[in-house]
Amino acid sequence: PRGGVMGLMKAVVSVRKTVKMVKQTPMEVLDSLPVATDPSKLAIMSFLTRLVDLTFLGGEKFLYLLLLTTTKVVHMTLLHGLFEMSATSLTDLGSVSLFVMGNIDTAQYIEERALLMQERLKSEAGKAKTFVNSHLFVFHHVKPLQSFSKQFLDGYQSGMRT
């Protein structure tokens, strides 16, 4: 894909802006986000969450696209309300922010917000991915492994059900 250095720089800037936006959004606002019902927004979000997965699997060649789609999904959640995979997209942002910015405290903050959002959503489809991503990429840096074995089991069981 095209993009090169300019595409990657735009993607890094997008990650930084999105992280700043999430950190500046009060917890009360995140807790009160409505569930999105607009069919066109739901379709866009479904496409973008699949694109995030595909670009991740595509490797470094698609890195800038991974960063841009991750931030777009989080933007859509903050602007239009909760989608089935909103908590998962927030965990993706936490992982990406650790990769791009190298700040474990910021990544942990975002991941904890994602877990709270996941509790509110009660979405079985996103539960497994939310738990696995948050613990695989961020929490293992700051928490002992024994502390999240129950969440890994919950995520595994949720994934097997969906």
Side-chain angles (χ1 to χ4, degrees):
R2 297 177 192 250
V5 174
M6 288 302 292
L8 187 56
M9 291 310 296
K10 287 179 183 179
V12 168
V13 168
S14 180
V15 169
R16 289 182 175 276
K17 285 181 180 179
T18 307
V19 166
K20 185 177 180 183
M21 183 189 315
V22 169
K23 287 178 73 173
Q24 290 178 346
T25 303
M27 195 61 203
E28 298 80 35
V29 172
L30 287 176
D31 286 343
S32 65
L33 286 172
V35 175
T37 56
D38 180 2
S40 65
K41 302 285 190 261
L42 293 171
I44 292 168
M45 191 65 147
S46 176
F47 172 75
L48 287 174
T49 54
R50 286 186 176 103
L51 190 58
V52 168
D53 293 339
L54 292 172
T55 54
F56 177 78
L57 294 172
E60 67 182 58
K61 188 175 185 180
F62 295 99
L63 179 62
Y64 75 94
L65 192 55
L66 169 68
L67 300 177
L68 290 172
T69 52
T70 299
T71 57
K72 182 63 178 175
V73 171
V74 173
H75 280 258
M76 285 193 65
T77 294
L78 295 176
L79 293 174
H80 303 290
L82 297 176
F83 298 87
E84 187 175 50
M85 301 297 274
S86 289
T88 302
S89 68
L90 212 51
T91 61
D92 292 341
L93 179 67
S95 304
V96 162
S97 72
L98 181 60
F99 174 70
V100 170
M101 300 165 59
N103 186 334
I104 189 66
D105 294 330
T106 297
Q108 182 180 5
Y109 175 83
I110 293 170
E111 299 292 342
E112 287 171 355
R113 297 299 156 262
L115 291 177
L116 292 173
M117 187 181 285
Q118 181 62 47
E119 284 178 24
R120 183 166 169 244
L121 272 172
K122 295 181 175 56
S123 164
E124 283 295 315
K127 188 175 185 178
K129 189 173 177 191
T130 300
F131 283 176
V132 168
N133 284 357
S134 60
H135 292 86
L136 184 66
F137 295 113
V138 176
F139 286 151
H140 75 277
H141 290 287
V142 292
K143 296 182 179 184
L145 290 175
Q146 298 81 3
S147 70
F148 48 82
S149 60
K150 183 184 179 327
Q151 287 184 319
F152 262 136
L153 181 60
D154 289 346
Y156 171 77
Q157 290 171 340
S158 174
M160 294 303 290
R161 283 190 298 269
T162 56

